[in-house]
Each structure stands twice: as structure tokens, then as C-alpha cells.
């Protein structure tokens, strides 16, 4: 285990496939075999090595797929990162509180990053696309969880793909500093 350090948490507006963090997080589906949104973009930009690594995981340690709230790492293929950490976010439900599952995604990604010895990590807005999580609520969960999780990662980025995500992250980050 690596020594816990004071992590720097920043917000950047970018396409996560262009972020040069040691590890980037993929908001994957449980099959790990690609999909839409962030998942499709990462698989497309990273090339066939990521899919090959995911197929190997499915053939060995994850035959039923990756459970919601868990995380696993693969190569980053052609991406500027060293690793992709795949996590499966929960689908938002107005009738059931699944915020702990969303928080688990961030904690598990940091745990995997620590196991890899990654110094930096970049997170997308997990579950806010087709999984329907309200961006402001997801941003608060992301900021609070990343800030409160002991880790040896020195730099974390919350990657905002659009203005709404950036504004939500900045508001959540500001609330925690008051």
C-alpha cells in the first residue's frame, strides 16, 4: 500500500480521451465490451487493445461482467494514459437512493489506482449520461467521495464534457470549501 498523500482535486473541461492522466476512468457498462457515451469514446480512441483486455477479463475473472459500483483496470491502448479503470455506475432512480453505489464507483477507482501505483486519475461524470443521474447531484457525490477517500493518488481531475457539468462540479467543489 502506498502512503496517503494530500490529493489535489481539479476540474477541467475536456474530452476524457485526451487527458494525460496516468489512469482515466471509463463509465462502462457491466459487459465491459464497449457501448455509447464515454465508454464508446474510450474504446474507439484507445483502439483494440482495450477491448482485447476487457474480453480477457470476461473470459477469466469476470465471466458475469463487472458489478455496479466496482472497478477494474486494463491497458489504455492508444490513449495518453497508462491505464483505463472501468467502473459501472448505477442507473438513476427517483424512487430508490442509489447514491452509495455511485460513491462506490469513485472509491473503487481510487483503490484500483492505488494498487496500480497511479499518481494521477481523471474521472468522467459517471452515470450522468444515458443512466440519467442529475448532474448537480452526481457532481456533489463525486466531489465529496473523492475528497474523503484515503488514497496515494496525488492529482485527481473531474473532467467536464460540457458547461453544465463544469458548472455543477465547480458548485460542488465550492460548497465543500466553505
Amino acid at each position: 500500500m502506498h502512503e496517503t498523500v494530500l490529493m489535489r482535486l481539479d476540474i477541467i473541461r475536456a474530452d476524457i480521451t485526451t487527458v494525460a492522466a496516468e489512469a482515466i476512468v471509463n463509465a462502462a457498462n457491466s459487459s465491459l465490451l464497449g457501448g455509447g457515451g464515454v465508454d464508446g469514446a474510450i474504446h474507439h480512441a484507445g483502439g483494440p487493445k482495450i477491448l482485447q483486455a476487457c474480453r480477457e477479463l470476461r473470459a477469466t475473472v469476470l465471466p458475469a461482467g463487472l458489478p455496479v459500483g466496482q472497478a477494474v483496470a486494463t491497458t489504455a491502448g492508444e490513449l495518453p494514459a497508462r491505464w483505463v479503470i472501468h467502473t459501472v455506475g448505477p442507473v438513476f432512480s427517483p424512487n430508490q437512493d442509489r447514491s452509495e453505489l455511485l460513491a462506490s464507483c469513485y472509491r473503487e477507482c481510487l483503490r484500483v489506482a492505488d494498487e496500480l501505483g497511479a499518481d494521477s486519475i481523471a474521472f468522467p461524470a459517471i452515470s450522468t449520461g444515458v443512466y440519467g443521474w442529475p448532474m448537480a447531484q452526481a457532481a456533489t457525490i463525486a466531489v465529496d467521495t473523492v475528497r474523503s477517500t484515503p488514497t496515494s493518488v496525488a492529482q485527481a481531475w473531474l473532467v467536464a464534457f460540457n458547461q453544465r457539468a463544469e458548472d455543477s462540479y465547480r458548485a460542488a467543489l465550492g460548497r465543500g470549501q466553505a
Side-chain angles (χ1 to χ4, degrees):
M1 185 68 186
H2 301 278
E3 182 179 327
T4 299
V5 296
L6 185 57
M7 178 180 46
R8 182 177 168 101
L9 177 60
D10 292 309
I11 297 154
I12 58 172
R13 176 101 170 259
D15 172 344
I16 197 162
T17 66
T18 67
V19 177
E22 282 195 302
I24 65 167
V25 173
N26 180 18
N29 62 56
S30 63
S31 80
L32 295 177
L33 302 178
V38 170
D39 194 16
I42 285 174
H43 275 271
H44 177 75
K49 289 181 181 176
I50 297 173
L51 182 57
Q52 180 182 353
C54 287
R55 284 185 174 144
E56 178 64 23
L57 286 169
R58 289 299 309 274
T60 56
V61 296
L62 295 169
L66 185 63
V68 172
Q70 298 299 304
V72 66
T74 65
T75 179
E78 303 301 317
L79 295 168
R82 290 181 66 186
W83 302 285
V84 173
I85 300 175
H86 307 265
T87 191
V88 180
V91 174
F92 178 75
S93 169
N95 304 317
Q96 181 183 18
D97 183 6
R98 298 179 179 166
S99 56
E100 181 52 37
L101 285 170
L102 183 55
S104 178
C105 292
Y106 290 93
R107 280 193 302 273
E108 286 296 303
C109 287
L110 288 168
R111 178 190 61 76
V112 170
D114 284 343
E115 288 175 359
L116 294 168
D119 193 46
S120 58
I121 190 169
F123 292 96
I126 299 167
S127 287
T128 62
V130 296
Y131 286 9
W133 211 284
M135 187 62 224
Q137 185 183 9
T140 298
I141 292 167
V143 167
D144 292 350
T145 305
V146 171
R147 274 189 172 151
S148 66
T149 301
T151 182
S152 60
V153 172
Q155 173 71 60
W157 289 283
L158 298 174
V159 180
F161 188 73
N162 59 32
Q163 190 65 49
R164 183 176 56 93
E166 184 177 355
D167 292 346
S168 295
Y169 280 140
R170 292 202 185 285
L173 197 61
R175 275 193 298 275
Q177 294 174 340

